[in-house]
Amino acid sequence: MSLGVDFVGYREYFVKEKNFPDPKATSIALAGYRLNVRVFDRLSMLPAIDDGGFAGSLVVAAAGNESARPDYTITTAPPAAGKRFFSVAALDRSLTVANFSNDDVDIAAPGVGILSVGIDGGVRPDDSISMAAPHIAGVATLYADAMIKVDRFNAAAFESRLRSSAKPATLIDEEVVRCHRTLTSSTWT
């Protein structure tokens, strides 16, 4: 999944297009953002449901392109911020976090200079989180397929294998990473 919620743009719309005072525009945009986060949190829980064919599913979501390293970074944007979504950051060709990539993610993958089909039908290199998320979805599919072929699919083992196959990248403060891993591992078992 590669979509996002642009809080800053939404607020600016109310200021510039609707001529709302800044506090009112911020309040409206914040309320909309909060509602979106709640919706994505609920949707992210679908893979935890045992009936309905969702159990063991992994939803891979792009973390967002709003950062501007080294000036500032932005935390994972919705929907990737959903409690049970697997959030993805983008790496450049040197396997460094891309300057536009948001932080506080589960995993990272190549997202700079990835060949993509252009609007005109030609092939062109593209840089975005939307280029990184499919890499993780593809690897996850290969892992799941291998587990299913030997009749040993287990959702917790599946996610653990995906996480353990990645090499660490410093995306945020190490204490936050440690806490995030602790919380994530306890919620997926």
Side-chain angles (χ1 to χ4, degrees):
M1 167 182 344
S2 185
L3 52 110
V5 177
D6 181 8
F7 172 78
V8 173
Y10 193 42
R11 188 195 64 75
E12 286 177 2
Y13 164 79
F14 288 114
V15 171
K16 293 178 180 176
E17 301 295 324
K18 298 294 185 179
N19 296 315
F20 287 176
D22 193 47
K24 181 177 181 177
T26 301
S27 178
I28 293 170
L30 185 58
Y33 189 85
R34 188 173 50 245
L35 289 172
N36 274 296
V37 168
R38 287 180 181 156
V39 165
F40 289 125
D41 272 348
R42 289 183 180 141
L43 287 173
S44 77
M45 298 308 287
L46 282 176
I49 298 172
D50 286 333
D51 55 357
F54 291 109
S57 298
L58 178 72
V59 179
V60 175
N65 298 311
E66 294 85 22
S67 292
R69 297 172 199 282
D71 297 332
Y72 62 89
T73 60
I74 303 291
T75 192
T76 301
K83 291 178 184 177
R84 300 282 299 242
F85 289 157
F86 204 69
S87 58
V88 181
L91 300 174
D92 62 22
R93 293 200 179 266
S94 67
L95 299 182
T96 302
V97 178
N99 63 344
F100 56 82
S101 185
N102 288 2
D103 277 351
D104 194 17
V105 299
D106 294 303
I107 200 164
V112 175
I114 307 300
L115 292 181
S116 180
V117 176
I119 294 173
D120 62 355
V123 176
R124 62 181 172 77
D126 199 2
D127 303 344
S128 76
I129 301 295
S130 297
M131 300 291 109
H135 283 88
I136 300 303
V139 169
T141 300
L142 293 172
Y143 281 165
D145 184 58
M147 292 175 84
I148 289 167
K149 283 182 178 173
V150 296
D151 198 30
R152 292 188 184 157
F153 185 83
N154 172 287
F158 167 64
E159 187 197 356
S160 176
R161 171 119 189 243
L162 186 59
R163 285 183 190 282
S164 67
S165 69
K167 294 181 179 177
T170 304
L171 296 177
I172 57 174
D173 181 276
E174 284 303 312
E175 180 66 17
V176 176
V177 171
R178 186 185 61 73
C179 291
H180 178 72
R181 285 183 183 144
T182 301
L183 290 171
T184 304
S185 64
S186 66
T187 58
W188 279 87
T189 55

